[in-house]
Amino acid sequence: MKSIFSRDSILLPVRRSRWSAAAAAAAITDATETDIASPEVPPFLANNELLQHPFQAFRGEVSTPGERGDDSKRKGMTPGEETPTKAVDIYRDTWVRFLGYANEVGEAFRALVPVSMVWASYAVASVYVTADAVDKGKKAAVAHGDNPGKTTKVAAAVVDTFVWQALASVAIPGFTINRVCAGSLYLLGRTTKWPLPVRKWTTTAIGLSTIPFIITPIDRSVDLLLDSSLRKIYGGGEKHD
């Protein structure tokens, strides 16, 4: 009588299970290659960015066509129209703008350099102010073309720019840094026993570090001053950032 625990009775189910597993794996691979890898997508979803970039959409980096259209409406543009780029102003948007701060730097170094160098820094700042005023006059002339009152508009642009720059870039900040440095040098002489060269370099460092903090308050103050005085005469002026 054949034993029920023979070698064939034990290994046959194992072989069958292996064959079944291999067949199942092959079937899944075929289904993946045919149905899953290239599913049929409805035409209205074919170009949907939310489906193509789900993680970017979750982070808010992808907008739907409707949202893009809403943005263009809010900006006063038709859908699909690109946002107009602002023209670069060489006197306001480039490194040339820093020439307007030359006299503040000169005042900060007054304790270390000859006075002639301080006045030279004022000359650099004054040339910048004049060049910016002339530039704004030319732009006003182009903008108004042959319209009546062109000369008045050009003159107003030149005067507004020159007065604003003279006050906000030269006179007020130069006086402010001068007084900050003079006061710092006096207090250091009264409260410390540092050598004079150390006190002078410390004064210069204080003056330089003060410049970034006075720019915006002075600019806004000069705007308010002109709004309540000269700009009432020639009807407004450009606000300076």
Side-chain angles (χ1 to χ4, degrees):
M1 181 178 180
K2 190 176 181 179
S3 173
I4 60 174
F5 299 105
S6 64
R7 182 173 177 272
D8 292 339
S9 63
I10 295 175
L11 295 180
L12 185 59
V14 175
R15 293 194 188 103
R16 289 178 178 175
S17 63
R18 289 179 179 176
W19 295 335
S20 300
I28 292 174
T29 301
D30 293 340
T32 303
E33 293 177 351
T34 57
D35 297 333
I36 299 178
S38 58
E40 294 183 1
V41 180
F44 67 91
L45 295 178
N47 297 321
N48 193 301
E49 295 185 7
L50 296 180
L51 295 180
Q52 295 175 7
H53 310 284
F55 296 104
Q56 290 88 338
F58 177 76
R59 293 194 298 265
E61 299 174 1
V62 175
S63 59
T64 62
E67 291 174 345
R68 289 192 293 270
D70 292 342
D71 291 341
S72 62
K73 291 178 181 179
R74 285 194 294 269
K75 296 176 182 178
M77 302 182 303
T78 58
E81 183 181 353
E82 295 183 358
T83 304
T85 57
K86 181 182 178 181
V88 176
D89 187 339
I90 187 175
Y91 295 99
R92 306 288 178 86
D93 305 324
T94 67
W95 62 269
V96 178
R97 179 68 182 93
F98 293 103
L99 296 179
Y101 305 134
N103 63 303
E104 288 119 284
V105 176
E107 285 292 353
F109 279 92
R110 180 181 283 271
L112 296 171
V113 300
V115 178
S116 59
M117 295 189 65
V118 178
W119 291 121
S121 69
Y122 274 88
V124 172
S126 299
V127 170
Y128 164 80
V129 169
T130 304
D132 189 28
V134 173
D135 177 70
K136 297 307 176 285
K138 291 180 178 179
K139 290 181 177 178
V142 173
H144 291 87
D146 296 329
N147 297 331
K150 172 183 175 180
T151 303
T152 302
K153 296 294 184 181
V154 172
V158 172
V159 170
D160 186 81
T161 302
F162 186 85
V163 173
W164 189 93
Q165 289 281 22
L167 292 174
S169 296
V170 181
I172 298 177
F175 176 79
T176 302
I177 298 300
N178 178 284
R179 292 299 87 197
V180 167
C181 290
S184 300
L185 187 61
Y186 174 78
L187 290 176
L188 288 173
R190 294 293 300 271
T191 60
T192 69
K193 296 182 179 180
W194 296 348
L196 182 59
V198 175
R199 282 181 282 154
K200 288 183 175 181
W201 277 106
T202 303
T203 297
T204 297
I206 293 173
L208 292 175
S209 62
T210 304
I211 295 174
F213 297 99
I214 67 174
I215 292 174
T216 299
I218 291 176
D219 289 355
R220 298 295 177 264
S221 300
V222 174
D223 267 330
L224 292 175
L225 176 63
L226 293 185
D227 287 342
S228 60
S229 57
L230 287 179
R231 287 174 180 167
K232 289 184 176 181
I233 300 174
Y234 48 76
E238 180 185 358
K239 295 295 187 296
H240 302 264
D241 297 328

